[in-house]
Amino acid sequence: MPLRLEDYALLGDTRTAALVGYDGSVDWLCLPRFDSDACFAALLGRPEHGRWLLAPSDRARPTARRYRGDSAVLETEYAGAEGRARVTDCMPVDGDHPSVVRVVEGLEGRVRMRSLMRLRFDYGLTPAWLRPEGRRLRAYAGPDVVTFDSGADFTVDHGDCTADFTVGEGDRVGFRLTWRGLRHGEPDLLGTAELARTVAATERWWQEWADRCTYSGEYREAVVRSLVTLKALSYSPSGGIVAAPTTSLPEHLGGVRNWDYRYCWLRDATFTLLSLLDAGYEQEAVAWRDWLLRALAGDPRRMQIMYGVEGERLLPEAELDWLPGYEHSRPVRVGNAASGQHQLDVHGELMDALHQARARGVPPDPDAWRVQRVLMDFLESHWRDPDHGIWEVRGPRRDFTHSKVMAWVAADRAVKAVECFGLDGPADRWGRLRREVFREVCSYGYDAERETFTQYYGSAELDASLLLIPSVGFLPADDPRMRGTVAAIERELLRDGLVQRYTMSRHTRAVDGLPEGEAAFLPCTFWLADNYILQGRTREGRELFERLLGLRNDLGLLSEEYDTGHRRLVGNFPQALSHIPLIDTAQNLAGGRGPAQRRSATGRS
């Protein structure tokens, strides 16, 4: 049975990622990309679905684990009856062939170790054809070719590759698993000393990247760890940013809300872009903008809410019936049918992101403005259309209030592009559109009797996405309508100190199209903290923020949601959309001009 999500660490090379548990087992790895088939899928099943265990033979529990400095290089120490050893894991960043490097070092006495690698391609379905030669193993399965280099003698039996060895004080034994594909050259065989140098080079790469962070506030450790996590979720060949490296980790244990997040949501990527810009990472912002322009090439009016890491449009959804799912949460899905949904708010997020990039001095690209002009032409004709909303409900389209607010944001940023940057466009017409959307939202999306904005026009439901209204500049946080909305959300959506996404009434479940049951969506609680800060309730905002920091695992990682009943993280892990508001709220608490203050000021008309 897989571990609790808190017990996993993330390894990444800005192309794909692995999850390794405190027990030394790599239970999830997709090669060569985030969205490729997994060759280790025990996370969604059992050990027979593929994993790589490297740990003491006597199953000694680890005594400590940590990332080296601000890197994505993981160290885990084990103490047994006869000695202590350390396992260092990483994924080198600078190679064309994704690989996992693991080095065992004896620290004291003698420790018997075991490496047990079980490759199962196609998400645990297909055993590999194994061909050992000395201390190198080649594994084949259709187009997939993997080489495994071992610093210890190994045996192959029934598809398992096992190495039993002992390390004394000062001894080191290295291993490397490398994907090379069917038509790629074979990587050089590296000895343990060379693998140790690879680990050191990987640590330097990450540390140098982290050192570029311009944030120096009191929560710097948490901010930098979140930034490193976001960088690990980026796909460097294209500039795309995935929402998470996993699929089908449930929002409710044993439930059916299990989705594939290994794709680039425009909304999530836009939030990530703004967080990176605020921390001084302009190069990543430019790479994301270039990825966006390629993804929208052809006809920006047919913009999707998500794409593959290279900008792929077709993301068909399928169920893997041979996998029992994480803690029996089925179905296990790959692909995502929500890619075909209409979500109006994405237009506003996109327009805002490109506006904020210009405001922060990112070098202009005339193609970006041409794309924005096309999107505005589409929006002018379609902003009244109902949509599926920010939460991708699998039910009928609605006039979601948050979506209409983001249509206002799109019009506002279009006007600002003309007024502030001298770009060419019908600012007067867009200004009229901005006023029209504002009036409609305040008329139909606001319940004057209850003094709160509602989930969609005419509904009685609440929605935590309404907490974003001040941060995008639609209304000030101290506007009576926003104070009433925050109070209503506190009354009806705050559970055990965390915010639910929306009211889970019988009617809402019908709209959602799925059975009831999910945990608290962590970004929503960060958004509430931001509202407290913007309203001058800084102490409450800080207390809520520090409560959220306490939910991170020992390595500073957050998943999508938190189950207060079971007191554990749930949902895909680690989740970009949880780490993004962590960065933003920390900067908002630093005083002055945090992201929420800057975005809200941008929207003042």
Side-chain angles (χ1 to χ4, degrees):
M1 190 173 186
L3 304 172
R4 293 161 60 101
L5 295 186
E6 289 88 341
D7 296 327
Y8 285 102
L10 175 73
L11 307 178
D13 63 357
T14 72
R15 295 184 180 214
T16 187
L19 293 187
V20 53
Y22 75 84
D23 60 352
S25 181
V26 178
D27 286 348
W28 183 254
L29 175 63
C30 299
L31 294 174
R33 308 190 333 178
F34 289 107
D35 56 352
S36 299
D37 294 357
C39 62
F40 299 139
L43 181 69
L44 298 178
R46 296 178 291 271
E48 56 262 37
H49 294 113
R51 69 166 179 165
W52 179 9
L53 177 68
L54 179 59
S57 301
D58 61 3
R59 299 185 179 181
R61 293 180 61 86
T63 57
R65 67 172 182 171
R66 58 188 169 272
Y67 285 118
R68 285 188 180 177
D70 294 326
S71 77
V73 176
L74 178 72
E75 290 184 341
T76 307
E77 294 188 5
Y78 298 89
E82 300 179 22
R84 295 187 302 116
R86 176 168 55 225
V87 177
T88 303
D89 298 322
C90 75
M91 297 184 71
V93 179
D94 57 354
D96 292 329
H97 305 295
S99 61
V100 177
V101 172
R102 315 189 75 179
V103 176
V104 182
E105 181 180 2
L107 301 177
E108 181 183 324
R110 296 179 65 78
V111 180
R112 297 176 61 189
M113 301 289 297
R114 165 166 285 195
S115 167
L116 192 159
M117 188 186 65
R118 180 174 295 145
L119 283 165
R120 295 292 185 270
F121 294 99
D122 301 320
Y123 301 100
L125 181 64
T126 305
W129 174 32
L130 304 180
R131 297 181 61 190
E133 183 179 327
R135 287 188 172 178
R136 167 162 284 185
L137 177 74
R138 297 175 181 85
Y140 301 87
D144 294 301
V145 181
V146 168
T147 59
F148 176 67
D149 296 327
S150 172
D153 294 333
F154 61 81
T155 59
V156 174
D157 183 44
H158 291 91
D160 291 349
C161 175
T162 306
D164 291 300
F165 59 99
T166 300
V167 290
E169 184 175 347
D171 292 340
R172 290 189 301 186
V173 179
F175 302 85
R176 181 180 65 170
L177 177 73
T178 306
W179 181 93
R180 68 177 179 87
L182 193 60
R183 296 176 181 85
H184 294 75
E186 191 164 281
D188 294 335
L189 180 64
L190 300 182
T192 292
E194 293 167 303
L195 292 177
R197 287 194 289 272
T198 298
V199 171
T202 303
E203 179 185 359
R204 283 196 303 274
W205 188 94
W206 281 106
Q207 190 62 59
E208 289 171 3
W209 187 88
D211 287 344
R212 291 166 47 201
C213 174
T214 56
Y215 175 77
S216 58
E218 61 179 308
Y219 300 106
R220 191 175 193 281
E221 176 274 329
V223 167
V224 172
R225 178 49 54 194
S226 291
L227 286 166
V228 168
T229 302
L230 295 180
K231 180 63 174 176
L233 297 180
S234 68
Y235 185 70
S236 58
S238 70
I241 302 167
V242 300
T246 55
T247 179
S248 300
L249 292 178
E251 298 173 8
H252 176 69
L253 295 174
V256 300
R257 296 172 182 266
N258 316 318
W259 315 112
D260 193 346
Y261 276 17
R262 298 170 300 153
Y263 304 112
C264 302
W265 268 255
L266 290 189
R267 182 189 306 107
D268 294 27
T270 295
F271 289 158
T272 304
L273 167 73
L274 296 176
S275 295
L276 289 169
L277 276 174
D278 286 327
Y281 291 97
E282 181 180 307
Q283 179 181 339
E284 285 72 15
V286 172
W288 176 87
R289 184 187 64 191
D290 293 344
W291 171 86
L292 172 69
L293 296 178
R294 291 193 302 272
L296 299 184
D299 187 357
R301 291 170 296 185
R302 300 182 64 184
M303 180 176 68
Q304 297 183 182
I305 67 166
M306 74 178 83
Y307 297 86
V309 295
E310 293 277 11
E312 296 89 347
R313 291 174 172 269
L314 298 178
L315 308 175
E317 188 173 298
E319 296 180 3
L320 309 183
D321 58 8
W322 61 88
L323 286 173
Y326 181 83
E327 296 206 11
H328 306 290
S329 303
R330 302 184 71 178
V332 172
R333 295 181 174 94
V334 294
N336 200 308
S339 59
Q341 287 189 351
H342 172 54
Q343 294 179 20
L344 189 66
D345 70 290
V346 174
H347 295 77
E349 296 295 354
L350 189 94
M351 293 291 291
D352 186 43
L354 293 174
H355 178 81
Q356 301 295 342
R358 291 189 189 97
R360 287 160 172 76
V362 173
D365 185 325
D367 288 332
W369 180 238
R370 283 193 286 270
V371 167
Q372 289 180 267
R373 289 288 305 265
V374 173
L375 292 179
M376 285 305 301
D377 288 344
F378 174 84
L379 195 67
E380 286 183 90
S381 302
H382 294 277
W383 73 270
R384 292 186 184 277
D385 294 349
D387 73 331
H388 292 99
I390 186 174
W391 306 125
E392 299 168 7
V393 295
R394 298 202 173 192
R397 295 185 182 188
R398 301 279 182 176
D399 288 308
F400 287 102
T401 303
H402 170 260
S403 297
K404 304 303 185 185
V405 168
M406 295 312 297
W408 177 92
V409 170
D412 178 78
R413 298 333 185 237
V415 171
K416 294 295 197 302
V418 176
E419 294 178 346
C420 300
F421 299 102
L423 297 173
D424 180 54
D428 290 343
R429 194 174 79 220
W430 290 336
R432 289 193 296 272
L433 173 63
R434 178 175 60 181
R435 292 190 293 274
E436 185 178 4
V437 177
F438 183 87
R439 286 194 296 268
E440 182 178 292
V441 169
C442 293
S443 296
Y444 299 109
Y446 183 73
D447 185 336
E449 184 175 335
R450 297 171 61 208
E451 299 182 336
T452 180
F453 285 99
T454 60
Q455 185 179 49
Y456 56 89
Y457 290 177
S459 75
E461 316 294 344
L462 293 180
D463 193 311
S465 64
L466 302 169
L467 293 167
L468 293 169
I469 287 176
S471 69
V472 299
F474 185 84
L475 282 174
D478 58 1
D479 185 278
R481 289 164 290 188
M482 270 314 302
R483 287 190 178 275
T485 300
V486 168
I489 287 173
E490 289 174 321
R491 288 193 307 268
E492 299 185 31
L493 295 186
L494 199 60
R495 300 285 186 275
D496 298 319
L498 300 176
V499 179
Q500 307 291 314
R501 287 192 297 173
Y502 45 73
T503 309
M504 290 296 289
S505 69
R506 180 180 304 172
H507 180 61
T508 302
R509 290 199 299 276
V511 170
D512 186 76
L514 294 168
E516 181 181 5
E518 69 168 0
F521 195 75
L522 292 174
C524 299
T525 308
F526 284 109
W527 299 341
L528 179 59
D530 290 337
N531 272 265
Y532 288 160
I533 297 164
L534 290 172
Q535 290 180 357
R537 300 162 63 181
T538 305
R539 180 183 59 80
E540 293 172 84
R542 185 180 301 276
E543 289 175 354
L544 193 55
F545 177 71
E546 292 183 350
R547 164 91 192 277
L548 288 161
L549 288 185
L551 301 182
R552 299 177 301 158
N553 76 353
D554 58 311
L555 298 172
L557 302 178
L558 284 171
S559 67
E560 179 184 14
E561 302 188 355
Y562 187 81
D563 187 327
T564 56
H566 293 92
R567 297 181 179 273
R568 57 186 294 188
L569 297 172
V570 292
N572 283 298
F573 175 85
Q575 173 78 0
L577 197 54
S578 295
H579 285 278
I580 294 163
L582 186 157
I583 297 166
D584 293 346
T585 306
Q587 296 192 16
N588 292 333
L589 282 168
R593 301 277 289 173
Q597 291 96 335
R598 282 197 295 272
R599 284 186 87 191
S600 61
T602 297
R604 296 288 181 263
S605 51

